[in-house]
Structures are given as structure tokens and as C-alpha cells.
């Protein structure tokens, strides 16, 4: 399956600013992007990075500096039953080939992997009239848009695909459940797991 | 499969105190317990509630006022390859029969459904020497305990099982992804989805 991987090359991961400086955030974001591309390929997908600016990465890059929604909708323009297109966010640091294969192989003209908090972390679109709208509660909106287009919908139940790495607490998940470039970089940067007041957290030793 | 459902009847859901008073928290916790019991049964499980105090619920109740870890370990005392025992937390408000069937049917002498933040939301134990330790990063600890016991481990990748309803933000997930007693109660109590600053939240209209 063709898979579009949107990437914000300009202001990546601003919600990690409390624990990582700008250069580190950029490095971690690119490491996660590489991990996601590897997972897409492991699931049999053919990834294209849809980036807001040129980025040096081992995959075709299409630069589109518009907002996420119109840029993705352009990429979905020729999606159809015989030409499905997946959209996989670049910050799914726990994504694996198995998890994405479940998305790619699920029945349904629109397959949704919801994110925690009402977002849409990954999609597989095989209906020509479906369009995305990432503003707000996009999981609910995407169900409604699919219904209005007459497209059948299925939902993938995956912790890995529901977890985007946005906030410092999410780094716990990367250290616990992933072993790709992003996790290796975090460890090299001195991050490790800790328990504070009975809750998991990360601490940085250097 | 036999399934133990630990329930804190005394101080349920204290981290929801900002949005629900004590009586409401108790009502929501009991509604979620009933939903979890229904999901366990839909997956072919035979639930027993392991409660800190007597509770009026449609399942056998075993009262054990000790801490979670020793109470669960007692319940696991006769677990083995021919007599597996599952442990399913009572606040898994998104649990479904399908998600729990994946847990019950997975290969592995110890099957773990991790929670967000390093917890252990559900287990299926078919090894006589495995014991739980819910303090701290229990997902990591349970892997280590299983390894030390020589038990094979598998991990279930499920957003539904990874989501425990602990904090106000988790109520978004109940409203979006569940339709059981707990969700019905939340709607009756006036909770609905909202988007604030681009992020999903709940608001209460009455």
C-alpha cells in the first residue's frame, strides 16, 4: 500500500520543549520518522514523506508547506478501492510492521487507528470521496466524513498506533515499548525510566 | 478462562475528584466494573470480583482487604498451564469481548496487556510460579518476574486494554470509544465532548 507520512520539518515536537532543546527535538523527530518509515516498509507499504520543507531521509519526499489537512487531502486525491492510500503520522514511535499490517489489511473503505485524545494517528483510505480534517476531534469527524461519503469504516485497536510521542510523559512509552533509532537516541542522550510517587516518568542523567 | 477483577470499593477513582464528587466516583466505578464483567463474559471468561469490601454486583465476590499485590497473588496461587487465571482491572472502561479474547487466546504462559505509563492493565497467567508486583513500573517488573520464572511472555497490543479510566482526560476516551453503562452514566450526568485549544476535553453541562 502507498503510505503518506506527514512530517513537520519546521517546528517539530514543540510540546517536548521542557525536556529537549530545539536541536534535540529535531533529532528525535527525524529518528522517529526513520523508525516509522521502517515500520511502513516492514508492513509491505511504500512510504512517501509529505514534509513542510526538504528533509534528508531514506524515502521519496514531497514538499508541501500548506497545513496538514489540505496537504494530506491532495495526497488522497487519487485514492480508491484499487489504489488505497495510507496516512501514517511521523511521531508514532511505537509503530511496528505488525501493527501497521493490521491497519493495511483491515476490511473497510476507511480504516482508522485512533490516537489517544480523539486524534487520528493512522488511516487507510480506499474510497475516492473520503477527505481528512485534522482539526479538533478528528477521530469523530473522520467517522462522520466517511459515513457521509457512504464509505464503510473499521477501527484498529492498537496501543502502538494510538500512541503519538508528543509530551514528556510519552517518552516513557518509547523507552518501554520500542527499540528503534528514537529509543536508542533517547538512551544515548541520558534518558532513563524512573518511578516518582508511584508513577512512571523519565529522568535525564546527563 | 477464570478471570479475577480487582476492585477498590473503598476509595474508587480518587484522581477524578476534580470533576466528580465521592458518590459520583463510586457510581462511575461500579458502572465500569459492570461493563468489564460483561466484556469478560463476552470473551468466554468466568469473572470473580476481588473487592476490598462487599459490593453489590452480578458476579461472585471475594472480599480481601489487603493491598492489590498480595490479594491478586493469592488468586493466582493455583494458576497453571491447565488452569490459567486472568487478572483484569475494573477500570478498563473501553474493554470489549474481542479485546479480552485476544488476551485470553494469546500464546504465552504469561500474557500482558500493558497500560499507558508502564502499568499492567490485564494479565493471563498459565505458569504456576508467576507472581504479580503492581508497585511502580509493573509492566517491566512483570516481564522480569516471568523471565525469572522461566515463563514465556507475550504482549497484547490493544488501545482498549491499555486505557484505564483514571483522570479527567480519560473521560474523553469513554465518551468516544465505549457505549456501556459507564458511558451512559456520564452522558446522563451531563458530560460531553469538547475541543479546547485544539485538544479534546470533556465539559459538564449540568
Amino acid at each position: 500500500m502507498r503510505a503518506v507520512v506527514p512530517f513537520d520539518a519546521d517546528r517539530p515536537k514543540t510540546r517536548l520543549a521542557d525536556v529537549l532543546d530545539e536541536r534535540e527535538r529535531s533529532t528525535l523527530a527525524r529518528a522517529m520518522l526513520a523508525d516509522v518509515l521502517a515500520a511502513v516498509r516492514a508492513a509491505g507499504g511504500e512510504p512517501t514523506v509529505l514534509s513542510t520543507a526538504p528533509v534528508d531521509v531514506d524515502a521519496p519526499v514531497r514538499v508541501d508547506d500548506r497545513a496538514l489537512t489540505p496537504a494530506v487531502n491532495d495526497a488522497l486525491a487519487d485514492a480508491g478501492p484499487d489504489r488505497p492510500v495510507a496516512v501514517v503520522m511521523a511521531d508514532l514511535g511505537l509503530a511496528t510492521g505488525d501493527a501497521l499490517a493490521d491497519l493495511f489489511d483491515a476490511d473497510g473503505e476507511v480504516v482508522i487507528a485512533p490516537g489517544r485524545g480523539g486524534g487520528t494517528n493512522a488511516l487507510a483510505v480506499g474510497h475516492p470521496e473520503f477527505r481528512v480534517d485534522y482539526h479538533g476531534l478528528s477521530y469523530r469527524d473522520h467517522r462522520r466524513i466517511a459515513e457521509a461519503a457512504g464509505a464503510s469504516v473499521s477501527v484498529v485497536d492498537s496501543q502502538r498506533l494510538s500512541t503519538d510521542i508528543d509530551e514528556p510523559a510519552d517518552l516513557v512509552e518509547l523507552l518501554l515499548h520500542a527499540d528503534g533509532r528514537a529509543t536508542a537516541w533517547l538512551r544515548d542522550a541520558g534518558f532513563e525510566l524512573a518511578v516518582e510517587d508511584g508513577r512512571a516518568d523519565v529522568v535525564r542523567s546527563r
Side-chain angles (χ1 to χ4, degrees), chain A:
Chain A
M1 188 178 299
R2 292 176 293 163
V4 174
V5 182
F7 182 69
D8 183 347
D10 300 312
R11 299 173 294 108
K13 302 287 111 199
T14 48
R15 282 154 64 191
L16 290 172
D18 284 350
V19 295
L20 296 172
D21 67 29
E22 187 174 348
R23 185 171 171 172
E24 291 171 330
R25 296 198 301 278
S26 174
T27 302
L28 178 64
R30 281 160 173 74
M32 284 202 288
L33 171 62
D35 289 340
V36 168
L37 294 173
V40 166
R41 289 193 174 107
E46 298 146 32
T48 298
V49 178
L50 180 62
S51 181
T52 56
V55 56
D56 182 21
V57 64
D58 177 29
V61 177
R62 176 169 152 188
V63 174
D64 189 328
D65 62 2
R66 290 178 294 171
L68 181 63
T69 292
V72 168
N73 278 332
D74 248 26
L76 291 177
D78 71 343
D82 302 323
R83 294 177 56 78
V85 176
V87 184
V88 181
M89 293 301 160
D91 61 354
L92 302 189
L94 308 190
T96 58
D98 282 350
L100 285 171
D102 286 346
L103 176 85
F104 294 172
D105 298 343
D107 291 332
E109 292 165 308
V110 175
V111 184
I112 308 178
R116 180 180 161 82
T120 302
N121 283 359
L123 282 165
V125 179
H127 192 285
E129 286 167 49
F130 179 80
R131 292 295 177 267
V132 296
D133 179 356
Y134 282 105
H135 184 77
L137 278 160
S138 69
Y139 169 72
R140 186 177 64 177
D141 294 339
H142 287 149
R143 293 196 66 128
R144 289 175 178 172
I145 293 167
E147 192 179 347
S152 61
V153 173
S154 64
V155 178
V156 174
D157 176 22
S158 167
Q159 179 187 23
R160 291 186 172 279
L161 300 185
S162 75
T163 304
D164 43 355
I165 307 300
D166 261 344
E167 302 180 354
D170 300 325
L171 302 180
V172 170
E173 312 301 326
L174 264 185
L175 289 176
L176 269 178
H177 299 296
D179 59 1
R181 291 172 182 81
T183 303
W185 181 84
L186 271 184
R187 292 193 205 284
D188 283 350
F191 284 90
E192 52 192 69
L193 292 163
V195 179
E196 316 229 344
D197 297 331
R199 304 183 68 169
D201 203 351
V202 292
V203 292
R204 189 170 191 175
S205 61
R206 58 180 178 272

